[in-house]
Amino acid sequence: MRRWVLSLALVACCLALPSVAEAGTKAAPSAPAWRAGDATGVIVSTDGLLPAGVLRRISVLLGRDVVAQTPMGDSAVSLRLDRAVPASTVRLLSKVLNLLPGVAHVSPDLVATSDSVSPNDTYFYRQTNLWTPAPVSSDSGEDPPAKPDFSMDAPTMWDATKGSKSVVVALVDGGIVSHPDLAKQTVPGYDLIADTRNSKDGNGRDSNAADPGNASNGTYCAAHASTWHGTHVAGIVAALRNNTIGISGIAPGVAIQPVRVVGQCGATMSDIIAGIRWASGGYVPGVPRNKTPAAVINVSLSSSVADLKCPAAYQDVIDEARSRGSLVVVSAGNQSMSLLNRTPANCQGVLSVGATDVDGSPTSYTNAGRTIGIMAQGGEVGPNEGIWSTVDAGTAGPVRSTYGQNSGTSMAAPAVSAAAALVLSLGHFTNDQVAQVLKKAALKPPEFDSYYTCISHDPTTGAERNVCGAGILNLAGIPAPVGHPSLVGGSTIGSTVSFTPGRWNGHPDSVTYQWLRDGTAIAGATSRSYELAAVDLGRTLTVRSTSHTEGYPDFSGLSVAKAVPKAQATVALRLSSTRARLRTTRLYANVTVTAAQGQSPTGTVGVYVDGRRVALVTLVSGQARVHLPVFTATGTRKVQVRFNGNARVVAKWSSAVGVSVSK
């Protein structure tokens, strides 16, 4: 025990850390307290909350007061410090901290920054990351030579799907400010910023995920204006289409879910972890569960890691989210270095995204590497070279909705998240299958002679080296059903109905067909034509066509439905007499029902006098005999019967027969 206490003391002295503030005093920092590379606290693996004595020892070692501990829901707590400490200090002390009672593992609660770069240019309508404009002819009328197209070709998918509202894309980011291009595009989110110094909304975690603006006055971190980063990311994913204003999102039909973790000084790793866990449907202590768990979780944030490893707390929550079915898409970072230097992009199971320019080359800022997942256009830093999306004009709080350019892997990641949501809107796919689809359809990057390129070759062996993963995001190659396949032909038993396929995005290797009756497969009906049978009367037919392409999961499309009409009925009514005496004569009605197409008119008939039903009987071999009640009023009474129909024969009224009733 003495050796343990002595070792703690020696480490504390040798590091010459700042002294601990006296109890009850909190001096304001003389310089911004939160910076990239700092930790705002520590994440501790432990069972339950740590006792006060252990918290005091952690404070002594780190030279910072522990001001709060927040359960993280996975046998871990995050300890918030009064001021940030260099992440390297926490790593250096981790072995000593692990010796404390009840502490199993300690990691820094890193400050994460948004992976975007703002070019500060005025807005005009141009989204060439979604599609490539047609080349402009020269004065001579000749078309210019075609350039390689490295846009994502989003419109090629819009005939197949613009996205389904049942597919939720969570944006673990800065929240969303009110914007007309995002109206009615969201499902309820959550604000998961635990530290009120960072949140700027006056409280900790709550259900209001609106972005109040993340501007800083320099007290806790370097002064800067509001970035509206989460709103910009949201517009890339799902801004309204064809609403006469602004831009179009890549997946305008899906639902977006704001999960606010970015405040005025960035985002802490513990808040990001809580955001991923909550978005995927997991339990965060003190927070109601997400009622609409996300199929795709976009994290356009990253932190630097000196050891090139994914922190265990990040890996655990990513594994959890994947086990619940969520695809986690993350930005690679903007440091022009290896992807391994940034987390959570270096974690297993994420789909990490780097940025390319319009020519297919890695941007000047993007991180890349052999372990990266995929690339997408992220804009360059220069006049009118960014990605256009939704923002606010305010430099502090919200002022006016507008549009602006940003560049960065922050802009590339939501493009991939939106593309993933489009794929998920076409069928039931696992997160691994969605990643497989996007990677398989990606364009191979071009080879340039310049130094900064995706692909290079070993000068000795000629072996290819690729630092851009699967390539550049492109939707044109995904074998998805496009257009509206139809059914044409007869509507009676024995007639033929033919299936006219729609076209397919991409080029499937083969296509198979399955006829469905009221949504259930018809045994043996697998060709492009089908002969109607009696069982089809009154039912609805569709055809599911399925593409089979090497390297892709199967995609299916459903034809327009064809309703097969029921057989027509004929109802004959014959009365025993058309005259009757008041309250004396009791007539009977003979009913005969026949049906077309050889159908048996089984079921019931109702007998009506002056519009009021007086009897209900069951047909036997298409016939029924019904005694009418005596008439209680003189004059002409109207008698009529109605065959109520069955599954294959339509209902039908007989002609009315008048009965003269006298005293």
Side-chain angles (χ1 to χ4, degrees), residues 412-469:
V416 172
S417 291
L422 289 176
V423 173
L424 286 166
S425 298
L426 292 171
H428 300 289
F429 300 103
T430 66
N431 42 38
D432 285 337
Q433 285 177 322
V434 175
Q436 172 192 353
V437 167
L438 298 181
K439 290 179 178 181
K440 179 67 176 177
L443 297 173
K444 183 176 180 179
E447 297 186 48
F448 296 107
D449 294 331
S450 59
Y451 167 74
Y452 204 66
T453 180
C454 281
I455 299 173
S456 61
H457 293 86
D458 186 287
T460 304
T461 65
E464 182 177 278
R465 181 178 184 271
N466 178 13
V467 295
C468 293

Side-chain angles (χ1 to χ4, degrees), residues 22-47:
E22 294 182 8
T25 64
K26 296 291 178 186
S30 58
W34 290 7
R35 299 163 298 183
D38 281 351
T40 62
V42 292
I43 297 174
V44 180
S45 294
T46 182
D47 293 325

Side-chain angles (χ1 to χ4, degrees), residues 68 171 188 243 249 257 266 282 301 307 371 406 450 559:
L171 309 177
N243 63 337
Q257 183 173 64
L301 308 164
D307 60 1
T371 60
N406 278 334
S450 59
S559 72

Side-chain angles (χ1 to χ4, degrees), residues 336-564:
S336 302
M337 59 175 60
S338 168
L339 170 81
L340 298 177
N341 290 277
R342 302 294 286 186
T343 198
N346 64 355
C347 297
Q348 295 293 317
V350 301
L351 182 54
S352 54
V353 185
T356 57
D357 61 20
V358 294
D359 296 321
S361 176
T363 59
S364 58
Y365 54 79
T366 188
N367 295 339
R370 297 185 182 184
T371 60
I372 200 166
I374 197 169
M375 309 291 280
Q377 284 197 36
E380 262 295 3
V381 182
N384 298 321
E385 292 189 36
I387 303 297
W388 292 100
S389 190
T390 45
V391 292
D392 194 274
T395 58
V399 171
R400 173 176 51 85
S401 299
T402 187
Y403 302 87
Q405 291 185 91
N406 278 334
S407 299
T409 56
S410 273
M411 284 62 254
V416 172
S417 291
L422 289 176
V423 173
L424 286 166
S425 298
L426 292 171
H428 300 289
F429 300 103
T430 66
N431 42 38
D432 285 337
Q433 285 177 322
V434 175
Q436 172 192 353
V437 167
L438 298 181
K439 290 179 178 181
K440 179 67 176 177
L443 297 173
K444 183 176 180 179
E447 297 186 48
F448 296 107
D449 294 331
S450 59
Y451 167 74
Y452 204 66
T453 180
C454 281
I455 299 173
S456 61
H457 293 86
D458 186 287
T460 304
T461 65
E464 182 177 278
R465 181 178 184 271
N466 178 13
V467 295
C468 293
I472 303 170
L473 178 67
N474 184 265
L475 299 181
I478 297 175
V482 178
H484 303 285
S486 59
L487 298 179
V488 295
S491 297
T492 58
I493 295 173
S495 61
T496 299
V497 181
S498 297
F499 170 63
T500 302
R503 61 187 179 88
W504 290 84
N505 196 35
H507 302 283
D509 295 339
S510 63
V511 179
T512 56
Y513 309 100
Q514 176 63 63
W515 289 76
L516 309 171
R517 181 187 301 118
D518 288 348
T520 300
I522 303 173
T526 57
S527 68
R528 287 174 56 175
S529 62
Y530 173 73
E531 184 176 302
L532 292 179
V535 70
D536 298 314
L537 294 174
R539 312 289 283 276
T540 298
L541 298 180
T542 51
V543 175
R544 179 184 295 117
S545 52
T546 303
S547 71
H548 309 279
T549 308
E550 184 179 0
Y552 290 94
D554 289 345
F555 279 83
S556 294
L558 201 62
S559 72
V560 174
K562 177 180 176 61
V564 182

